[in-house]
Amino acid sequence: MTTRVWDYLPEYESEREDIHDAVDTVFRSGRLVLGPSVEAFESEFAAYHSLPHCVGVDNGTNAIVLALRALGVGPGDEVVTVANTAAPTVVAIDQVGATARFVDVGEDDFLMDVGQVRAAVTERTRALLPVHLYGQCVDMAALRAVADETGVPIMEDCAQAHGATQDGRLAGTFGRAAAFSFYPTKVLGAYGDGGAVVTADPELDATLRRRRFYGMADVYYVVETPGHNARLDEVQAEILRRKLTRLDAYVQGRRAVAARYAEALAGTDLVLPSANPGNEHVHYVYVVRHPERDRILAALAERDIQLNISYPWPVHTMTGFAHLGYGAGDLPVTEKLAGEIFSLPMYPSLPAGTQTKVVDALLEVLDRL
């Protein structure tokens, strides 16, 4: 059987009864769109972050789109972010008509190099968009200092950081707004697409609610502001409600898997992930680094172990973003990492035997390099 980096089936088997009950609860409720499950999940997810507002949307990309628009970001504006991220971060910036301005990332943590942000801010910058990549937070104290100096708001991309903390504070609570994805692979994953924006700002909350529902507010069929259909589905919301009660357990499960990798791979020439001071890592993915990455992956594939690269092509080098004016050599750390990083299997229900199989094969391959 092929070993892959993610598999939801073991978790589904253990939670099957609850997932089926969630679906039945919605189907029996008499409300299939923007009903009690969405309302309850929004309230509970906001409370988890000790924030007053959460707006459920249909996916993580639209969470970023709607949050940027709610902040007034649009054509002619710039957003400072990174190219070492999943493409949807930049797709969302492009979708609102703004221009992404990239800074490089740190070679040790792969996160936004906050020391480069101030120089990237111009008179057109309307948002700073840190990506809490792989499960740990960007240096938010340093980024907050830039935001305070420039007056540019922070909008966090938390798609990979559910439950991650920095100095005891949860990802998603540092900026004006924060976008989450509930794609099935995420730390808190739905059984399909889903997303949310959290904020402490009641005006942003109201704007987001209009924009996710065609621009309508209290009166159906009356569009008050530009918007589109970006509603969170009732079924996914009810499933997410149930899974939210287990989020902390999922995080602990991921940390246990990470600890086993760290112990088993210590002493190899792989660069293993670590948490920055003050950070509690949730290990959305377990990303390691080696200069012979491609040879390692090819050898593992021969052993029926299919691993992943997050991410093999830096966003700024993609043809779809050629209009941004970046090219090879512009972000040297990002580009170097893209040739060396790869992900080991990581999910809370990863069977110990599967993890041992991967580790043993990896050790054998490394020994033969």
Side-chain angles (χ1 to χ4, degrees):
M1 180 179 294
T2 301
T3 299
R4 297 182 174 86
V5 294
W6 179 77
D7 185 355
Y8 74 91
L9 290 175
E11 179 183 286
Y12 174 66
E13 287 304 317
S14 67
E15 300 181 358
R16 183 173 180 271
E17 184 175 337
D18 194 32
I19 299 303
H20 284 201
D21 184 67
V23 175
D24 191 57
T25 294
V26 173
F27 288 175
R28 290 178 179 275
S29 72
R31 291 286 302 277
L32 297 178
V33 178
L34 291 185
S37 292
V38 168
E39 292 176 6
F41 173 71
E42 289 174 337
S43 176
E44 291 155 6
F45 196 65
Y48 181 86
H49 292 88
S50 299
L51 290 171
H53 306 294
C54 169
V55 180
V57 298
D58 55 345
N59 57 65
T61 308
N62 271 337
I64 301 175
V65 169
L66 293 176
L68 290 173
R69 285 180 173 153
L71 290 170
V73 180
D77 295 335
E78 294 178 350
V79 177
V80 178
T81 191
V82 293
N84 184 37
T85 183
T89 304
V90 186
V91 168
I93 296 170
D94 199 62
Q95 184 67 33
V96 304
T99 299
R101 282 183 61 86
F102 297 119
V103 297
D104 215 340
V105 298
E107 191 160 355
D108 294 327
D109 60 12
F110 315 155
L111 301 173
M112 172 183 274
D113 184 345
V114 179
Q116 298 185 24
V117 172
R118 181 64 187 88
V121 174
T122 73
E123 69 279 357
R124 295 170 56 194
T125 306
R126 296 293 177 269
L128 309 178
L129 205 168
V131 180
H132 301 312
L133 197 70
Y134 304 149
Q136 72 168 323
C137 295
V138 171
D139 184 349
M140 295 306 292
L143 190 62
R144 167 55 57 195
V146 177
D148 290 344
E149 178 188 349
T150 61
V152 178
I154 296 171
M155 207 295 288
E156 301 170 71
D157 182 343
C158 299
Q160 302 187 11
H162 311 72
T165 63
Q166 184 169 98
D167 297 325
R169 187 170 174 178
L170 280 165
T173 65
F174 294 93
R176 286 280 307 283
F180 289 83
S181 168
F182 304 122
Y183 187 75
T185 62
K186 304 303 184 186
V187 180
L188 178 61
Y191 277 70
D193 268 319
V197 181
V198 297
T199 182
D201 188 329
E203 292 186 6
L204 281 183
D205 175 70
T207 299
L208 288 162
R209 292 184 185 281
R210 288 193 298 271
R211 286 186 174 274
R212 73 154 176 203
F213 190 44
Y214 308 111
M216 300 176 188
D218 298 327
V219 181
Y220 278 15
Y221 309 119
V222 177
V223 174
E224 299 179 5
T225 57
H228 63 283
N229 180 4
R231 300 171 297 213
L232 177 62
D233 182 77
E234 275 286 290
V235 171
Q236 299 301 340
E238 185 61 32
I239 291 172
L240 287 166
R241 286 190 67 200
R242 312 296 181 92
K243 296 190 71 175
L244 179 59
T245 66
R246 299 186 283 270
L247 174 55
D248 291 343
Y250 297 151
V251 170
Q252 291 306 314
R254 288 174 178 273
R255 288 175 177 157
V257 171
R260 292 197 295 270
Y261 278 133
E263 180 179 5
L265 298 173
T268 70
D269 54 355
L270 284 175
V271 178
L272 305 180
S274 61
N276 288 338
N279 277 357
E280 291 288 340
H281 206 308
V282 297
H283 296 288
Y284 164 60
V285 283
Y286 193 86
V287 176
V288 300
R289 180 179 171 192
H290 196 284
E292 296 292 336
R293 188 268 312 280
D294 293 343
R295 288 179 61 193
I296 293 170
L297 292 185
L300 290 174
E302 292 176 356
R303 293 161 172 78
D304 215 15
I305 298 173
Q306 301 289 337
L307 301 186
N308 193 32
I309 304 172
S310 299
Y311 298 92
W313 301 285
V315 172
H316 72 290
T317 66
M318 296 179 182
T319 57
F321 297 110
H323 61 284
L324 297 176
Y326 291 86
D330 287 337
L331 301 171
V333 177
T334 296
E335 293 164 34
K336 181 180 180 181
L337 293 175
E340 297 184 355
I341 56 178
F342 62 103
S343 305
L344 304 185
M346 170 56 73
Y347 47 98
S349 54
L350 177 65
T354 300
Q355 187 173 12
T356 298
K357 172 187 174 182
V358 172
V359 167
D360 288 348
L362 184 54
L363 290 172
E364 179 184 348
V365 170
L366 289 170
D367 189 56
R368 294 183 177 184
L369 286 179

